[in-house]
Amino acid sequence: MSTVLLTGANGFVAATILKKLLERGHTVVGTVRSESKTTFLREQFKTAVDSDKLKFAVVEDITVPGAFDEVLRAYQFDVVLHTSSPFHYNITDIDKELLQPAIQGTVGILDSVHRVAPSVKRVVVTSSFASVVDRSKGTRTGKVYTEADWNPTDREEGLKDIGSGYFASKKLAEQAAWDFVKEKNPSFTLTALCPPMVFGPPQQEVPRMAKLNTSNLDIYDIFNGTSDPRYGVWIWVDVRDLAEAHILAMDSSVAANQRYIISQGNYSPQMFVDYVWKHYPERAAAKGIKKHTPGKYYPDEGVYGVDASKSVKELGMNYTPIEDMLRDTLKSFEELEAEGK
């Protein structure tokens, strides 16, 4: 069993990774931005906390040089799973608040591992399909994205608006990680995972439904009748599959210094609408959920696709169908509503 540093442990993706790591007997140290962020996780995983299989460390600002030095020195880690990414609302300075934090947060932890944690053999970074896709090409009918593709947005373009800045930040951060490995030749190997839209049952703390993670709000706002379908990226993955990919990448020798798209394939938010009307007709009617275009998922000209076969062949991924994700996620939403969330 491994000793794992999991950054951003209270996040949507990380909380699901944490659950799987503990179920498999690994010892985990999770970083959070403040001690208060540990309360929910300590309750959820009380047995692991009581048996010292789960500990926490506060890293207030991951962009500060050496931010992870203290926690990395305190334990003998085998693996680092870096899922945390700085986020800010009401961004006024794209470079200072979006680009630099993403890049420095990623390079910073690699630098800390390289300098003070020689026991670490593998670092897995949660990158994004945003570092793969070319937004400027739109739906790009017939294009099938693979790991060989890179978002062409550069720093200059990323400064134009917040949307471009987000996509640029993901691309520049991942690119900086690969540049670090190439230049420093560290004793650890790197794996980058590039998920698109991530949906699934929330394992993280949900103080109220409006505070769900952004992607799950795309489903809940339909389920609650408060929003029409929101269109954007046309591919998706179940959060439980993405968590599994992190764990498979930890130990896979073939994953050393490799990049993987982690995705089940195409989806449309119209699928959410159709599912709710099929399985929750009374709720759909009561909430006034519009049916929109049942069965019509994509524009007439079609949309781009994705080839995630590398993750299947090399990591052994087995992807969850969208119907199963929606079944489990909507059940989870009902449970949260019943708790008064």
Side-chain angles (χ1 to χ4, degrees), residues 215-235:
S215 55
N216 269 345
L217 273 174
D218 284 1
I219 302 176
Y220 184 71
D221 285 351
I222 291 171
F223 193 52
N224 199 37
T226 48
S227 172
D228 290 332
R230 290 192 280 266
Y231 288 82
V233 176
W234 295 98
I235 59 171

Side-chain angles (χ1 to χ4, degrees), residues 71-148:
V71 65
L72 283 166
R73 283 195 176 107
Y75 304 91
Q76 282 279 105
F77 290 107
D78 304 296
V79 178
V80 172
L81 303 182
H82 182 51
T83 75
S84 68
S85 183
F87 65 94
H88 299 274
Y89 298 109
N90 304 317
I91 286 170
T92 54
D93 185 328
I94 292 171
D95 187 56
K96 190 177 175 185
E97 297 175 79
L98 202 53
L99 301 186
Q100 287 302 322
I103 296 163
Q104 289 166 7
T106 301
V107 174
I109 193 165
L110 297 182
D111 180 62
S112 287
V113 172
H114 181 49
R115 285 185 297 100
V116 307
S119 60
V120 172
K121 298 303 174 210
R122 173 69 49 84
V123 177
V124 182
V125 170
T126 316
S127 184
S128 170
F129 184 66
S131 71
V132 176
V133 69
D134 184 348
R135 273 176 96 220
S136 69
K137 297 285 203 302
T139 52
R140 207 174 184 186
T141 310
K143 168 66 178 175
V144 177
Y145 284 100
T146 72
E147 288 83 0

Side-chain angles (χ1 to χ4, degrees), residues 103 106-108 110 122-128 131-132 147-150 170-186 188-194 249 254-261 310:
I103 296 163
T106 301
V107 174
L110 297 182
R122 173 69 49 84
V123 177
V124 182
V125 170
T126 316
S127 184
S128 170
S131 71
V132 176
E147 288 83 0
D149 289 297
W150 281 89
K170 295 297 186 185
K171 178 264 187 89
L172 294 169
E174 188 191 337
Q175 209 163 48
W178 290 119
D179 288 345
F180 181 92
V181 169
K182 190 176 176 183
E183 290 164 16
K184 303 289 186 181
N185 192 26
F188 62 83
T189 51
L190 177 69
T191 305
L193 304 181
C194 300
V254 76
N257 298 324
Q258 294 295 318
R259 183 186 201 215
Y260 296 94
I261 291 174
K310 182 180 176 184

Side-chain angles (χ1 to χ4, degrees), residues 1 18 46 60 86 135 178 220 238-239 242 246 300 309:
M1 293 298 108
L18 177 57
K46 188 177 186 304
E60 289 180 14
R135 273 176 96 220
W178 290 119
Y220 184 71
D238 189 305
V239 67
L242 178 56
H246 282 78
D300 290 338
S309 61

Side-chain angles (χ1 to χ4, degrees), residues 9-11 30-44 56-60 204-207:
N10 59 310
T31 72
V32 290
R33 288 189 176 91
S34 64
E35 185 61 37
S36 64
K37 302 285 188 189
T38 70
T39 306
F40 176 80
L41 296 174
R42 287 181 192 280
E43 291 169 3
Q44 285 287 99
F56 295 99
V58 174
V59 179
E60 289 180 14
Q204 80 280 16
E205 182 176 17
V206 181

